[in-house]
Amino acid sequence: MTLWGKERDIDRTMLEFTVGDDYLLDQRLVKYDCLGSIAHAEMLCSIGALTQDESDQLVAGLQTIIELADKGEFPIQPSQEDCHTAIEDWLTRECGEVGKKIHLGRSRNDQVLTALRLYEKDALDKVAERLSGFREALARTIDKHGHVPLPGYTHMRRAMPTTIGTWLGAFHDAAKDDVRLVESARDLIDQSPLGTGAGFGITVFQPDRELTARKLGFARVQENPIYAQMSRGKFEATLLHVLGQIAFDLNRLASDLILFSTREYGFLGLPEEFCTGSSIMPQKQNPDVLELVRAYYHVVVGEELKLRGLIGNLTSGYHRDLQLMKAPVFKAFDVTGKCLAVMTAVIPRVIIDEEACAAAMSDELYATEEAYRLVQQGVPFRDAYRQVARKHRPDPERER
Amino acid sequence: MTLWGKERDIDRTMLEFTVGDDYLLDQRLVKYDCLGSIAHAEMLCSIGALTQDESDQLVAGLQTIIELADKGEFPIQPSQEDCHTAIEDWLTRECGEVGKKIHLGRSRNDQVLTALRLYEKDALDKVAERLSGFREALARTIDKHGHVPLPGYTHMRRAMPTTIGTWLGAFHDAAKDDVRLVESARDLIDQSPLGTGAGFGITVFQPDRELTARKLGFARVQENPIYAQMSRGKFEATLLHVLGQIAFDLNRLASDLILFSTREYGFLGLPEEFCTGSSIMPQKQNPDVLELVRAYYHVVVGEELKLRGLIGNLTSGYHRDLQLMKAPVFKAFDVTGKCLAVMTAVIPRVIIDEEACAAAMSDELYATEEAYRLVQQGVPFRDAYRQVARKHRPDPERER
Amino acid sequence: MTLWGKERDIDRTMLEFTVGDDYLLDQRLVKYDCLGSIAHAEMLCSIGALTQDESDQLVAGLQTIIELADKGEFPIQPSQEDCHTAIEDWLTRECGEVGKKIHLGRSRNDQVLTALRLYEKDALDKVAERLSGFREALARTIDKHGHVPLPGYTHMRRAMPTTIGTWLGAFHDAAKDDVRLVESARDLIDQSPLGTGAGFGITVFQPDRELTARKLGFARVQENPIYAQMSRGKFEATLLHVLGQIAFDLNRLASDLILFSTREYGFLGLPEEFCTGSSIMPQKQNPDVLELVRAYYHVVVGEELKLRGLIGNLTSGYHRDLQLMKAPVFKAFDVTGKCLAVMTAVIPRVIIDEEACAAAMSDELYATEEAYRLVQQGVPFRDAYRQVARKHRPDPERER
Amino acid sequence: MTLWGKERDIDRTMLEFTVGDDYLLDQRLVKYDCLGSIAHAEMLCSIGALTQDESDQLVAGLQTIIELADKGEFPIQPSQEDCHTAIEDWLTRECGEVGKKIHLGRSRNDQVLTALRLYEKDALDKVAERLSGFREALARTIDKHGHVPLPGYTHMRRAMPTTIGTWLGAFHDAAKDDVRLVESARDLIDQSPLGTGAGFGITVFQPDRELTARKLGFARVQENPIYAQMSRGKFEATLLHVLGQIAFDLNRLASDLILFSTREYGFLGLPEEFCTGSSIMPQKQNPDVLELVRAYYHVVVGEELKLRGLIGNLTSGYHRDLQLMKAPVFKAFDVTGKCLAVMTAVIPRVIIDEEACAAAMSDELYATEEAYRLVQQGVPFRDAYRQVARKHRPDPERER
């Protein structure tokens, strides 16, 4: 039964349509919703809206739910719409009358905001950890193979000499900036929406918003209740942006690895156990892992775009449209997390063919150096450039 | 076991990563893959690459799989990667040696293209049917309430008089154009890729591509094998575009219904059983159904965008990136289908408040008519316009 | 002065903001708007709303404007907002009183729809022509170099043998399907919106919509006035989709050309006069032309996306938001047209290195053939595949 | 003439195609490129690669160019490709031989990165200022009208009571978070790329990167040259994201204002001089200004998406594709800046109809309060909710 349903019936098809996958998606919010509810119950007790005993009962019940959920034993029924209803239902069933009191002074609107934000802070922390792991994997590989020379390319043409160390170092630095992005996104969302109710605050009962914010570990209270609702989707756009930036770095790295491990470039190889084969061509060893990492960038960007579209041209106040932002957020965290993990595993296993790298250090890579030597002899740079250019560029006549 | 795996081991994490949700998503392709395989087996028989007996065995086996899949009894294991492997595995296990012969003269690349295209043609037909149902629902409502007057708005300001009939008629006509779009998309993809192998054709054995195309009901053969691969993702972008156009019409209709059913406009109502409630505000009856229809437009657009990103900046020939286009295609068909079904159910149940509509037909709606009456009396239009404008526009002094 | 402005003043900054670049963008609509206005004037005459003499005066005036615009001598002032106002202004100034009569029975809303649609039909025809030219360039190159062998790649690894002819043939076939897409888009938009007024039809005066449609060469009348407005943006989304599909094919072709012309692949070259250089590296010859063609795909997709966002979550009836769809449409046509022209020029000038191609036809490309030969000797395909696989795949021990 | 062109000819059409609008777009980079060049020249002098006299000559020349550009008297020719070439050309022409020395130890790749980043830092500062102005306008309006009651809506249905102050306060707080976003984006990009050359560092001459960074006011040096190139497009994606977040807030505010100023809501009005009219309907006063602000959100998102697409699936090292990111960046800054300015002007001029607001404070808005009063009397919340619900919800029988 829905929270609002007692007195009326909703058309079955309509309910199924509106619930969608929420009863499944919400599984990962159960824990965070319980944490929010514990803080809320304790706050209600502190302002005298619940007795100590009632609060204790609710807290104990909510902790039991967290344990059940951990073991995968807290299913949410489609008819319950979401985790919030499933939790209130459970409390009412298991703890009796007091279950009907937990929702005083809040709305699902601030409840889901709170649970999501707690989830997101945790998820960001995990991303930051994975970024660390990724950076370490890069650092170790740089330590081992950093000295190996590598042609530097612009426009996919040989440009100037570089090394494995400089190349992988770029991703090391990129990931460092990504950590910075993760931190500022975390900072942005680190404000407690709990107590903003349906988006217009709570009347009659004055929730102690500082208290719940403190209990939940939020850095500050998000004061304005309309802004709390308005930040739904907006904050998530920033999260998805940050995940998209990480996914971009991995897209670039995967693209490099795929190219450099072709037979034609041959600078690198992937161990056989990281490759997949073909159903028809017996010889194939394909870098599917890298191709998927490359591709997931577009999935994250697409999820962000959904969200950007969803929240546009709407007026203030909650609209059900916003429900559809949950899936993109979960998807983007999952995908980025997996890609980081996979690349952290791949990097140290990349096989570097030092000979092939060395053999590729052809003359043209040193043309700029050649011009610079002329500059050292007093030739102005642009003249030196032209002198060297005449030497390196193919004679137009020679062309077929 | 994978098709290519026998002789080697792939890292477990890597396999899980590359398989992703494919083993689940592919469930809906089992039937279509079997249909493709039946045509392929019969063709192999016709060119002498299989005996009649072998072909019969395979066809019987494949028909059994279709029946199993219909009953939900043909699970695909993650270790099998996809439905293609699961099917070859099953055939080899159940039909013996002949199972190892089914893959002759094809690749998973053309197999999946074929299965997807058969699925897509079916799915488009279902969309066309739903568009018909939607148009009928509109037509019936227009028959009943079409005469009711309604203010026409531009810039959300009252503009000129219209009717419920003209308003809903717009969506009726829009859906007619959508049918046209569905048909031309179906036409575009109605070409058989079977026999293009991994994307470079088949050597030694010459598959009879006309035969398999005919058996599978394709309008024509997609001759060029590289184009067959290149059209993967490209064709799907067109499908998603078409679904996006349908979703757009529904987005617009839902937006109208939400606005017109506000207390402030009050032209329409939704029956209570189509509304949802609030967890905190006892009075609420919310049009969540419509909000979600509105929102799904952005989901379809987002899925299309993923696909457009995925296929960009890649070179010719299959890349594993393309695997990630399956989920967007399935999602877009599911979502658009559901939204059409829901709106088809909603339209005839919309409650039209004739009195409120009539009451809203205020003077300003007839200002253009007023000007036209002056024109009939010989005043040039622009002068008539200005004459009426002076009358209708608020005196600037009056403003607060 | 604006059409509506006489009696009032609008804030200068606000006017500048709302006009934006329209007065510049509209330059290319002048001709089409005049054509629409000619048909409109003649129709007004036919229904007795203008005398023959008045109609002749207007038609002559409009033809003069077309000539002026052709010579670049019909500037639109920012204060005039758009071409529609500039044209009515000119007519009133040059033809006198009758200029004030031209706007009877229409609105800028149907006027701009008409002008845009005429422009778009023309622009689509030009795209179709360019697609022809592009296909001819491909055909000629295939005739000359089609026989040259080329390794076929999947996952950027050598897969099976192919030829220059099959490779370029893929784009030839792709462009054929693009022509089909162009045609069905043209077909979709080939309906006359003229006479739908502000989006709710015309009262008092009944415009003869069949007549204007016929005069303007539209295949049919777009009956429903609300749908006429609703199709604004929607139809353009289909146009941009089609342009995006063309841009995609060019993106793929450019990606291939860039890769195949690297030193490492070396199958192709670009003539020096199609390459650009570096400011620092004297040796560089870069395929900037191809890189930009590749990149413009994303520009077209981005423009489409703007449009998809702009039109979402809006209610029926014109909103000024729709003004912002003009720039994306013009941009997408310009960019796609230029890319087609450039690639049509590039293709015949590509230098094919037959020796390098031949040298790249390594053994592994024939592994499938090898398996097929075993099948001919009676080995089931999967067994043959495994036998060949053992031979081709590197011994795990051998790995570094 | 291009920097690389002396010794060869490039096809005219190809040059035009590759240059595109760059010669126009670059106009706004001239100043920043000169600033970068001044720092570079002084650094070259400090490491002995230029004499003091040479450096002084270059610095004086560059300062002249800045002055010329300020007066709009430094045109860039299409044949010069970009501002970098135009500047080197000018120096060589006006200062003689020393002009040929300015490019020593750098590439256009790091030059454009530097100029863009300086421009972007300035542009972000301007955005931050405009956000301040916008917040002040909101604060003043809240001071004046904050007390006026306003119905709070969820799902566009009356939910709970709020005020003009809380409503506008939401945007005030949103803009505060936007400032935070601007600051962290500025922080991210505040690293000097100068001295990374073409993307692989500089050999022979060791540029003093700390010195140029300090002279240009960068917070730190971007050490890794490959990362410097890789951050092109990536950093800009973050900028566009931030601008998109601001545009989102304005989109929401504009949507509210448009709705609240409809005849049907009537809470607000816009002064006539901020409204536009219709070409056909004499009575119309349309909020085009707000509609365009709403629409520009999608333009910013579309520009970001272009960029996200452009940089995907590419390998490390500069590609000409990246040139196409300039226009999106400029466009997004321009559009967001204008929208902020316009809304800052609009907000204080919004006419608030206190009577209409008061009249709209209907009973249903107090249903939650009603339930809370029952809770105060000891009824558990969910029971109180149901009791009130029975009273407020329409009797199903009553429905038509």
Side-chain angles (χ1 to χ4, degrees), chain A residues 151 153-160 257-265 267 270-273 276-288 290-291 294 305 309-314 321 349 351-355 360 362-368 371-372 381-382 384-386 388-390 392-396 399-400, chain C residues 151 153-160 257-265 267 270-273 276-288 290-291 294 298 305 309-314 321 351-355 360 362-368 371-372 381-382 384-386 388-390 392-396 399-400:
Chain A
Y153 293 86
T154 63
H155 308 264
M156 293 189 76
R157 269 79 184 123
R158 293 198 185 160
M160 287 176 76
L257 288 169
I258 292 168
L259 184 72
F260 289 168
S261 63
T262 56
R263 178 180 172 134
E264 286 74 10
Y265 281 74
F267 304 152
L270 279 186
E272 206 191 3
E273 68 273 25
T276 49
S278 154
S279 72
I280 174 175
M281 297 169 290
Q283 86 280 15
K284 291 305 292 289
Q285 293 209 68
N286 297 322
D288 297 44
L290 301 171
E291 293 169 297
R294 178 173 64 186
L305 183 82
L310 278 173
I311 61 180
N313 299 2
L314 293 180
D321 313 58
R349 303 292 306 277
I351 301 154
I352 294 167
D353 187 332
E354 299 203 16
E355 273 170 59
S362 49
D363 275 6
E364 62 201 310
L365 292 165
Y366 301 95
T368 305
Y372 283 176
F381 173 69
R382 191 56 63 209
Y385 168 95
R386 285 184 185 128
V388 178
R390 268 189 298 275
H392 275 272
R393 276 183 195 146
D395 177 5
E399 268 169 34
R400 268 151 305 181
Chain C
Y153 293 85
T154 64
H155 307 264
M156 293 190 75
R157 269 78 182 124
R158 293 198 184 159
M160 288 176 75
L257 289 169
I258 292 168
L259 184 72
F260 289 168
S261 62
T262 56
R263 179 179 171 134
E264 287 75 10
Y265 281 74
F267 305 152
L270 279 187
E272 206 191 1
E273 69 271 26
T276 49
S278 155
S279 72
I280 174 176
M281 298 169 288
Q283 86 280 15
K284 291 305 292 290
Q285 294 209 70
N286 297 322
D288 296 45
L290 301 171
E291 293 169 298
R294 179 172 64 187
H298 304 287
L305 184 81
L310 279 173
I311 62 179
N313 298 3
L314 293 179
D321 313 58
I351 302 155
I352 293 167
D353 187 333
E354 298 203 18
E355 271 169 60
S362 52
D363 274 7
E364 64 201 308
L365 293 164
Y366 301 94
T368 306
Y372 282 177
F381 172 71
R382 191 55 65 209
Y385 169 96
R386 285 182 185 129
V388 178
R390 268 189 297 274
H392 275 271
R393 276 183 194 146
D395 178 5
E399 267 168 37
R400 270 151 303 183

Side-chain angles (χ1 to χ4, degrees), chain C residues 27-148:
Chain C
Q27 202 60 57
R28 74 173 87 188
L29 291 183
V30 171
K31 172 181 152 195
Y32 299 101
D33 197 51
C34 288
L35 293 175
S37 294
I38 289 172
H40 183 67
E42 290 174 346
M43 183 278 291
L44 286 179
C45 175
S46 87
I47 64 165
L50 288 179
T51 63
Q52 185 64 47
D53 192 52
E54 287 174 329
S55 167
D56 290 350
Q57 263 183 281
L58 288 169
V59 170
L62 289 159
Q63 273 159 347
T64 307
I65 297 175
I66 293 178
E67 283 159 30
L68 289 170
D70 270 356
K71 292 182 285 182
E73 294 171 8
F74 190 77
I76 305 166
Q77 305 306 325
S79 64
Q80 290 175 318
E81 289 196 288
D82 50 35
C83 69
H84 318 297
T85 306
I87 291 169
E88 188 173 321
D89 271 6
W90 191 96
L91 291 174
T92 307
R93 204 170 58 242
E94 302 293 325
C95 311
E97 203 68 346
V98 72
K100 296 182 183 170
K101 298 189 173 179
I102 181 72
H103 206 62
L104 176 67
R106 71 174 185 188
S107 171
R108 270 189 302 187
N109 282 357
D110 59 340
Q111 215 182 328
V112 68
L113 270 181
T114 304
L116 260 174
R117 226 162 266 180
L118 291 171
Y119 162 78
E120 290 162 357
K121 283 173 61 185
D122 252 26
L124 282 174
D125 290 345
K126 271 173 213 149
V127 167
E129 252 173 65
R130 294 209 156 168
L131 279 168
S132 284
F134 175 59
R135 294 186 73 210
E136 274 164 40
L138 285 163
R140 275 196 314 273
T141 311
I142 293 169
D143 274 354
K144 244 164 103 180
H145 304 288
H147 62 281
V148 178

